[in-house]
Structures are given as C-alpha cells and as structure tokens.
Amino acid sequence: MYVGKTLFAQVMEFVPWTSFTRIVHRYRGNAGVRTLSCAEQFRAMAFAQLTWRESLRDIEVSLSANPSKLYAMGFRSPVKRSTLADANESRDWRIWFDLATVLIRRARKLYARDALGVELNNTVYALDSSTVDLCLSLFDWAPVRSTNAAIKLHTLLDLRGCIPAFLYISDGKLHDVKVLDMLAFEAGAFYVMDRGYVDFARLDVLHQAGAFVVTRAKSNFNARRVYSAPCARDSGVICDQRVALTGFYAARDYPEHLRRIRFKDPDSGNRLVVLTNNTARSALTICALYKQRWQVELFFKWIKQHLRIKKFLGTSENAVKTQVWSAIATYVLIAIVKKELHLNASLYTCLQILSVSVFEKTQLSCALQLDDPRTEPPADDNQLILFNPYPDTYDLTAIRTLLLRLGKLLAAQGRLDQREDIFFLSIDERTDLLAGGTQDWKTIVQERRAEREHHAAVTVPDTIREWDSISEQTLISTHSAKSDQLIGMPISAGSVIGPVRMIRSVMDWDQVRPGEILVVSVIDPGLAPLFGIVGGLIAEMGGTLSHGAIIAREYGLPTIANVEGAMARLSDGLQVRLDAGSGTICIQPSTYSEGS
C-alpha cells in the first residue's frame, strides 16, 4: 500500500519553487507576513481550482475537513477565509503572472514536438479574446457600459499543446486589435487570427518582422487581382490569387501584395476568404491553418467550464487578476504533469480525477494513468504477494517477511537465538541450515553480529588509503565532550529549533512527528516522504550535489551535512537549534548535559 504523499502534494512538486521564491522576493510578497505565505496562498488557490471551490468559505471548510494532511500538503497553519481574502486583495498580482510565465515557458518546451495536425514545422499561434461578464456594482473598476462590467482575456495560444504563450487581462472596452501592439512577433511563425484583428498598419509591422499572418477578409475588403495561381477546385480551393490593396489608407499602410484564397468546405459548404502574406505554402495548408484557429475558441470554452474564473473570490482588480493568473498557472501545471508523466488521459480527465482525490495517498502516475491499472498490495501483513509483475519495493517487503517467518520458526526450534539472526546467514548457508546442516549456526551469527557492531562504530575518514588500518580504528566517543555545539557543511539554508529524532533504519519512520529535526548517517533520497513534515535535517555524511541534498533544497528544508559524531552525540528528544546558514547545531541549554 502506498503511504507517501497526497496527490495534491505530488502535483505541487512540479512547481519550480526556487524560481517562485525569487519572484516573491522581487515583489516583496512575504514582507510582514505572519501566516499564509505566498507559497501557501498559491496552494490554496490551486486547491480551489483543482477541486472546484467557488467561495472562500468553501475553501476553508474543505481544507479544515482534513487537518492531519494539511502540513504534508504544504500548509503550515489552517487556512482562514479572511486571511486568504486579504492576501488576494493586497499581494501583487504580478507574482502569479510571473509564476504562470515560468510554467508556460517550461510547458512550451515539453510540447514543442507535438503534432499540429498540419504538415508544418513552424510555430503556429492562434490569437483571440474572450469576455468574462461581471457585476458593475461590485466590479466598478471594469465598466463596459452603464449597466454592466467585464474583463477580457486576450490570449495568444501556441497550438502545439494548446499552451497560452501570451495572455493579457484588460477591461471589457479594450479593442482586440490593440493587443497586436503588445506582441513581439517571432520570425517564421504563423499568427492565425479572426478578421477582428485586420488592421493593415499593424499587419505590416508583423510582415516586416518576418512573421506570417493567416486571417479572414472583412466584408468591405477591396483589392485588385495581380496574379492567379492554378488550383484544383475539387479540393475546395476556388481561387488562389495575389492581390494589391486599392483603398488609399489601406494601400498606404500595407504597400505589399497579399495572398487571397477562396475556399469552400466540402463537408459543410461554408465559404471562406482567407488572407495571408505567405506565398510558399499550399492553399490547402493555409486553409487548414485557419481552421486550427478554432482551438483557441475551445481553449476559452474549456477554461470557463473547468477552471474557476466565472465566480470570483474578491472584487478588486488585484484579487480578480490573482485568481485568473492562478487558474492559468494551475492549467499549465496540470499540462506539465500530463507531459512529464507521459499520461494518455486528457487534461479534462486529469482534472476530474484530481477534483475528487486530492487528499488520497496514491502514486500520481497510477492515479492518472487509466490504461495501466495496478493492484496495490493488501494492508493485511499476513497476506503475501506471491507474484508481482512490477518489481519494486513490494518484492523486497515480501522477501523480508518470508525470512522473518523462517527465522521465527528456526528460533522456536532452538537452532537460532532470535528471528533476526537469519539475516546474518548467506543464501547457501540458509539452504544448508534447512537441509539439516550440523554447523554451529549460533556461533557464526554471534561472530558476524559482533563484526557488524564493530564496523558500525568505526569513523571512516573522507579519504581511505589503507583499509586495514581503518578497519582497526574504533570510534572515539564524543559523549563526554563539553561543547554544546556541532559544526557541519550547510546544504539548504534556514534556521529551526526543535527536538531531535534519530533515524537509524526504516523502522524509525513511524516515530517521526511534525517539526522534529531528523538525524541520519547519510542523506538518503528515500527519506523524501519525511521532508514534507519535519523541521530540519542533520547528516553525518553527504555533499551539496548528492541526490538527497538536492531534494532537501527543493523542499526548502534546513539541512546540514558532514556533522562528525552526530549519530553518537545526539539522541531522541534532545532540543537543538539548527542554523543551516552558518552550518552550526547548538544543543539548547535546557536539554544539554555532559552525559547526553
């Protein structure tokens, strides 16, 4: 049975927290904050998006229903609706804008090689806007008419993966065409847009930048034919022409020739007049590109149906933009999870699953992978797994359980002293023992146990030249040292005071409590499930680039490594102050004694 992190905590691991910390520092997001940091605020807003919460009270009640899981999910204190409301009102919305931008860059790299549906290697963008209606009496900062208010989401959608490459939130009065002034056009890319964006002066800027436009002609479009290319009418292309604009202002603003394609859809019978400045691609390819513009309409429909951007948690401009950008960041985050885990399920399916199971402790890839069902091992320790098609730690657990039962049986027969003695025998020796071997098995086990205890007490230096001399070295006890301070190598910055919890084996994991400081011999990546609840980490060995150290930094866990004698000097319950900035560990006077 998987007993690790909740699905929500696993999703949050895909957030680039290091970049997020820099963003928060840039806008002083945590200045003067005592509860609900910016990281916790984003978690609360992401939780609202994933579980379809529609009010502050809804968020508060849903989270408070699972208090034992909040700490591991990243919440250091209960989320109060008044605190969340104040955070949304006061903290700069650009924090979430920058976070969404970082996630968008990452997602676009992941989806860069996705199929487009058109034989084309160029980047293709679809530009459009969508309006979200608001109540004028509550949102008086976004008036459209005298009776209602609205905001507009102007979106430039990368059609490979449907990831928004640009998104601008304005009041409802901003005309769509003005968004073209905000874009930095990419040379060689196609920009597909509706005829509402036809402004020849702005399209000339796009043309001079080396980009291509695909749009529809307005009903009052005037041009003279310069050249007609041959076309196959049975394919739906009625004509493929080069045209020059005839209007005075239009010809002045766009002096170059345009390509005009008349197309009749063989299925629906609809006729389109498509304009483009690209002369290299076939007419059918250009028409197929314009049909791909519908993806941006589906994007708006999707986010309005599945993200919480129609009911807002605050009424100020800052609160609305905070909620919208948090929704976009959550959408892109799920898209990253889908790609990183190679999931076949759609984004809709992923959100549906997460909406009802964010508190479940299941492996994220298994929960979202519909075509790969795996049977979890039973909770009953007496039921063994005889065959596991997915070799993992379950196999090792079953083998250990079998050996312990065998050791218990042999101890009951008097052939071993205790059941754990079975681990001090090799496979061949166990076979010989079961076959009735007459060796003195108890003496063999005692000798090997003593040898193990001797080696466990040896302090191994950083460099080993002659192992024989090292093997004879014994640990110099530090219990009698009078200093109440230990020194090590800073791994992950931070300062914390808390009780010590010694971890010598997996059997000690159940004893760990939130806020304790773990003391280990080496930073093992397998300890990661504990990093979300403990307050700090002390290790006798380890380096800044080890796997476990990197994970500790990702968690923001104050960590010090290379602390000589930590396992012998410290003990359970000892109160210490860990300062990972200076690499020092101070035993608190109230708990320190010379015999400790």
Side-chain angles (χ1 to χ4, degrees), residues 474-545:
T474 57
L475 176 67
I476 301 175
S477 175
T478 58
H479 286 265
S480 60
K482 296 184 179 181
S483 173
D484 61 350
Q485 179 172 295
L486 291 85
I487 300 175
M489 176 191 298
I491 296 296
S492 177
S495 179
V496 65
I497 298 177
V500 164
R501 174 61 62 186
M502 307 298 294
I503 301 295
R504 295 182 174 85
S505 70
V506 180
M507 306 303 294
D508 297 326
W509 285 25
D510 292 340
Q511 307 299 322
V512 177
R513 297 293 178 266
E516 291 183 332
I517 299 176
L518 298 187
V519 180
V520 298
S521 58
V522 64
I523 307 177
D524 189 334
L527 294 169
L530 302 177
F531 290 175
I533 64 171
V534 298
L537 180 63
I538 301 172
E540 277 195 335
M541 293 184 291
T544 56
L545 297 181

Side-chain angles (χ1 to χ4, degrees), residues 166-235:
F166 169 87
L167 195 147
Y168 178 71
I169 304 172
S170 72
D171 57 42
K173 294 189 291 187
L174 183 69
H175 196 282
D176 292 350
V177 76
K178 293 185 178 181
V179 176
L180 292 174
D181 300 330
M182 306 177 189
L183 298 178
F185 298 110
E186 178 184 336
F190 281 84
Y191 291 82
V192 186
M193 58 192 76
D194 202 1
R195 53 189 171 190
Y197 291 91
V198 174
D199 180 280
F200 291 111
R202 292 179 169 91
L203 293 185
D204 185 59
V205 174
L206 184 150
H207 177 73
Q208 297 302 325
F212 304 112
V213 63
V214 178
T215 185
R216 287 178 63 190
K218 292 184 177 180
S219 58
N220 61 351
F221 176 73
N222 294 317
R224 61 180 177 86
R225 180 176 61 86
V226 176
Y227 171 77
S228 292
C231 57
R233 287 178 171 265
D234 57 351
S235 64

Side-chain angles (χ1 to χ4, degrees), residues 234-252:
D234 57 351
S235 64
V237 178
I238 299 174
C239 66
D240 184 1
Q241 303 171 337
R242 297 280 189 90
V243 298
L245 302 179
T246 56
F248 174 78
Y249 294 105
R252 182 193 63 183

Side-chain angles (χ1 to χ4, degrees), residues 44-152:
M45 297 299 289
F47 172 82
Q49 295 296 332
L50 292 175
T51 58
W52 298 359
R53 303 301 101 191
E54 295 187 344
S55 68
L56 293 167
R57 187 183 298 274
D58 200 0
I59 297 173
E60 180 185 28
V61 172
S62 298
L63 288 174
S64 61
N66 295 271
S68 62
K69 298 179 181 178
L70 294 185
Y71 195 91
M73 291 169 62
F75 297 101
R76 295 300 178 259
S77 59
V79 178
K80 302 299 182 182
R81 60 181 183 274
S82 59
T83 307
L84 182 58
D86 292 341
N88 290 343
E89 293 281 343
S90 60
R91 294 177 190 171
D92 200 325
W93 63 268
R94 291 176 295 178
I95 295 174
W96 322 113
F97 165 76
D98 286 3
L99 174 61
T101 302
V102 171
L103 291 171
I104 285 169
R105 285 200 301 265
R106 180 178 171 188
R108 290 188 62 198
K109 291 179 181 179
L110 293 173
Y111 285 89
R113 297 184 179 274
D114 273 23
L116 185 62
V118 179
E119 292 295 332
L120 197 66
N121 293 325
N122 306 60
T123 305
V124 182
Y125 299 104
L127 179 62
D128 206 347
S129 67
S130 182
T131 302
V132 179
D133 293 326
L134 304 173
C135 177
L136 183 60
S137 61
L138 296 177
F139 303 88
D140 55 359
W141 50 269
V144 177
R145 301 179 187 86
S146 60
T147 57
N148 66 328
I151 60 172
K152 265 189 178 182

Side-chain angles (χ1 to χ4, degrees), residues 290-306:
Y290 186 78
K291 291 178 70 176
Q292 290 291 319
R293 192 196 69 83
W294 188 249
Q295 295 297 324
V296 72
E297 302 286 356
L298 296 178
F299 169 77
F300 286 130
K301 180 181 179 181
W302 196 95
I303 63 172
K304 285 183 176 181
Q305 288 180 347
H306 304 107

Side-chain angles (χ1 to χ4, degrees), residues 418-439:
Q418 52 185 325
R419 64 174 189 169
E420 286 78 11
D421 290 352
I422 193 71
F423 296 113
F424 290 92
L425 299 176
S426 66
I427 295 177
D428 292 337
E429 288 172 337
R430 294 168 191 158
T431 304
D432 189 19
L433 173 60
L434 293 174
T438 58
Q439 298 187 52

